[in-house]
Amino acid sequence: MKVIGVLLGGFALLLLGGSFSARLREQLKMLITVKQLFLRIDRELAVRRLPTGQLLRVLAESPDFSELSFLKEISARFDGREPLEEVWAAALDRDRRVSALPEMAALLRECGGILGGSDWESQTAALSLLSERLDGLIASARERAEKEGRMYRSLGLLSGLLLAILAL
C-alpha cells in the first residue's frame, strides 16, 4: 500500500511540473495569436479599409481567433453608441486568459484605443508599433518557455524520485 502511495505522489509531482511547463507554452501561443490579430487588423485596414464595426465582425467570426473570446463580445456589444475603447476595455477585463499576461493586456488595450480613432494610415502605423513591442514579448516568452519549462519538468521528475527515495 505504501508503494502505491509513493508512486501516486511521485506521479502527481511529475504532472505538476508538466502542468507548469504547459502553462508557459500556452502563454506563448496566446502571444503569437495576438500578433496574428494585429497583423490581420493592419491588413484589413490597409487593404480593405473596413469600417470598424465590420472589421470587428470579421475578426470575431475568424476561426484563427476563436481562442480570443473577447473579440466576440466586442463585436456583439459595439454598436457605435458607446466608444469602442470602453467596449474593448470592458471585454478585456472579463477575459481571464488576457489578464494572466499583463503586458499583452496593455498592448491589447492600446489596440482598442487605436481602432476607429483616426484615419487608416495612422491606425496602421500605430498597429505596426504595437506589433514591434509584441515581438519583444514573444521573444522573451519563448525563451522563458524553453528554459523554465525544462526546469519545471525536471523539478517534477526529481521531486517524484526524491519522494520515492525518502519513502523507501
Side-chain angles (χ1 to χ4, degrees), residues 41-148:
I41 292 171
D42 185 47
R43 185 178 68 229
E44 296 292 347
L45 289 174
V47 176
R48 295 178 60 190
R49 298 187 184 253
L50 294 176
T52 305
Q54 187 177 354
L55 172 65
L56 294 172
R57 282 190 298 279
V58 166
L59 295 172
E61 294 169 0
S62 173
D64 297 334
F65 309 119
S66 60
E67 64 188 68
L68 301 177
S69 59
F70 67 89
L71 287 175
K72 286 187 184 357
E73 181 181 343
I74 293 167
S75 176
R77 287 192 52 216
F78 181 69
D79 56 9
R81 286 183 257 155
E82 191 177 357
L84 175 60
E85 187 172 6
E86 291 176 17
V87 174
W88 189 281
L92 287 176
D93 289 342
R94 284 188 279 282
D95 193 324
R96 288 188 318 227
R97 293 182 70 205
V98 170
S99 59
L101 295 165
E103 300 91 355
M104 180 188 73
L107 292 176
L108 283 167
R109 280 188 198 290
E110 287 184 48
C111 180
I114 291 168
L115 292 178
S118 59
D119 61 78
W120 285 299
E121 289 80 18
S122 298
Q123 291 178 64
T124 57
L127 282 167
S128 294
L129 291 174
L130 287 180
S131 288
E132 288 176 21
R133 289 171 48 201
L134 187 60
D135 286 339
L137 290 178
I138 290 171
S140 65
R142 182 171 282 127
E143 183 178 324
R144 184 174 179 226
E146 289 173 10
K147 288 181 180 176
E148 290 183 26

Side-chain angles (χ1 to χ4, degrees), residues 1-15 159-168:
M1 196 60 136
K2 181 179 175 181
V3 174
I4 292 173
V6 168
L7 288 175
L8 288 176
F11 188 65
L13 290 170
L14 179 65
L15 288 177
S159 298
L161 290 173
L162 181 63
L163 178 68
I165 291 169
L166 289 175
L168 296 176

